[in-house]
Amino acid sequence: MRLPDMPLHDPFIVADEKTRTYHLYTSNDPSVSGVDGTGTMVYRSHNLRDWTRPVAVFLTAQQKGIWATDGGWAPEVHEWDGRYYLFTTLHSRSKPLPVPPPGQWGTPFQLANHMRGTIIAVSDSLLGPFTVIDPSRPTPPEHLMTLDGTLYVDPSGQPWMVYAHEWLQTIDGTMEAIRLAPDLSGTVGDPVFLFKASDAFWLGEQIPSGVPHQLPPYVTDGPQLYRTPDGSLLMLWSTYEKNTPGQDGTITGGYVQTYAVSKSGDLTGPWQQHRPLVRDDSGHGMLFHSFDGRLMMVLHRPFDNARGKLYEMQLLGPELRILRRRADLDGGG
């Protein structure tokens, strides 16, 4: 299979040096994995162009007592202490959350407030099967509506989950972080605020003159952390330009891949926002190194019926730039 033929959303690639194999994780799609159910599947490749048919590595239906069976969004796999840990976002519409009282924007933003958050599952293999560590609740505080949790390990070796706090609950979505236990089995302490979506200065440039800046929604999606050679901390994240809220809690607008930099190198920032790297309804990207040492970015485009797109990247100090689009690998489009 090649990327133009591979349904995928929120791609995450693990370049496994031991087997010289790229593992591309995405939400399970029964039409290509051949397995029904909410979960995670993985494609594999030795050259980033030719991929195996995917295999399912995590299914919610196989997790005894799990709190939610919908979603399966934004899966990613991290090696930690000799094992592999899957992070993926689940939700349950049957478990409503308290919502703030109606305000300036009325009720449309309160319709979808229900339990949503990232779970952590573990396996001894990149190919699973992965077993959820705590089936009773998401890892971030369960009263918060969150998504897209990712692993970050600070210079002292302390693991964190960085996640997006949903605009559905906050109107101005935020990025937050919470410490994890050494075995990733739970959290320690309270969440830490990192930045809010409207901190992206260029979003205000999309609003017509005379319209208040605080227009909902401001979305935070897909945080991914990367330590640069100069010691800065870089975060890829996604949002929407020219947002239009719908009555069902959905939004329309241009999905974009952007990034922020903490020049202090600290997770708490301060975070400096940068202009988008890729527009054209693209986003939820992550960085990885190819086996020949190139810094690469994978993202999906378009948001609906998504396919993977690959870019060769360059770091100039803390600044991230695109060197070239790898249409030879992702088939163009």
Side-chain angles (χ1 to χ4, degrees):
M1 303 182 73
R2 294 189 177 175
L3 285 167
D5 307 312
M6 294 161 51
L8 60 87
H9 211 268
D10 306 340
F12 188 89
I13 291 179
V14 174
D16 182 40
E17 288 282 358
K18 293 185 286 291
T19 60
R20 304 287 287 185
T21 303
Y22 300 101
H23 294 68
L24 194 166
Y25 295 89
T26 189
S27 301
N28 182 53
D29 185 330
S31 70
V32 285
S33 72
V35 179
D36 288 333
T38 299
T40 301
M41 65 184 188
V42 61
Y43 299 94
R44 285 166 289 162
S45 174
H46 294 294
N47 59 13
L48 293 175
R49 189 188 68 166
D50 305 293
W51 298 84
T52 63
R53 294 196 71 83
V55 296
V57 297
F58 172 79
L59 294 171
T60 58
Q62 296 177 355
Q63 312 298 312
K64 185 177 180 180
I66 195 163
W67 63 275
T69 56
D70 294 323
W73 302 338
E76 53 186 68
V77 172
H78 301 270
E79 186 172 5
W80 176 255
D81 199 22
R83 305 187 79 188
Y84 297 100
Y85 290 82
L86 168 73
F87 290 49
T88 188
T89 299
L90 303 180
H91 63 90
S92 176
R93 298 184 190 279
S94 66
K95 295 180 171 65
L97 293 176
V99 296
Q104 181 178 2
W105 311 115
T107 58
F109 311 102
Q110 303 175 22
L111 298 179
N113 277 254
H114 52 263
M115 279 185 68
R116 175 178 292 164
T118 299
I119 58 96
I120 303 177
V122 63
S123 176
D124 292 320
S125 169
L126 284 167
L127 299 179
F130 288 89
T131 302
V132 67
I133 296 175
D134 183 356
S136 68
R137 48 155 291 173
T139 300
E142 58 194 88
H143 69 283
L144 304 181
M145 194 176 188
T146 66
L147 77 168
D148 297 351
T150 187
L151 179 66
Y152 168 69
V153 181
D154 70 22
S156 71
Q158 168 68 51
W160 297 72
M161 180 181 284
V162 178
Y163 59 86
H165 190 169
E166 279 275 43
W167 67 272
L168 287 160
Q169 202 173 44
T170 65
I171 298 202
D172 193 352
T174 62
M175 288 299 183
E176 299 172 8
I178 193 164
R179 290 180 177 87
L180 296 175
D183 61 359
L184 309 190
S185 62
T187 60
V188 179
D190 296 322
V192 177
F193 170 84
L194 305 182
F195 62 83
K196 61 186 183 299
S198 64
D199 288 343
F201 61 93
W202 45 269
L203 282 173
E205 298 170 356
Q206 304 296 321
I207 298 173
S209 176
V211 177
H213 182 64
Q214 288 294 329
L215 280 177
Y218 285 101
V219 176
T220 46
D221 267 359
Q224 290 290 333
L225 284 297
Y226 184 86
R227 180 72 61 185
T228 64
D230 72 349
S232 298
L233 187 60
L234 184 152
M235 185 195 295
L236 291 181
W237 67 286
S238 293
T239 189
Y240 287 82
E241 292 182 311
K242 301 180 181 178
N243 305 331
T244 303
Q247 292 297 313
D248 61 354
T250 63
I251 60 172
T252 59
Y255 201 52
V256 298
Q257 181 63 63
T258 188
Y259 76 107
V261 175
S262 169
K263 291 185 177 180
S264 70
D266 294 333
L267 182 60
T268 54
W271 288 93
Q272 178 183 353
Q273 302 296 328
H274 289 252
R275 290 187 180 276
L277 291 163
V278 187
R279 287 183 163 90
D280 301 325
D281 204 19
S282 307
H284 209 105
M286 57 87 63
L287 298 172
F288 68 98
H289 286 278
S290 63
F291 295 130
D292 60 2
R294 300 174 191 269
L295 181 63
M296 304 288 292
M297 180 174 69
V298 61
L299 50 72
H300 69 238
R301 181 168 70 242
F303 189 88
D304 295 321
N305 194 27
R307 294 297 187 268
K309 304 298 177 184
L310 289 165
Y311 296 80
E312 197 171 320
M313 308 298 290
Q314 180 184 39
L315 279 167
L316 298 175
E319 306 290 322
L320 184 64
R321 298 184 181 180
I322 294 173
L323 279 181
R324 59 175 174 145
R325 165 78 186 285
R326 293 301 302 268
D328 57 316
L329 297 175
D330 66 30

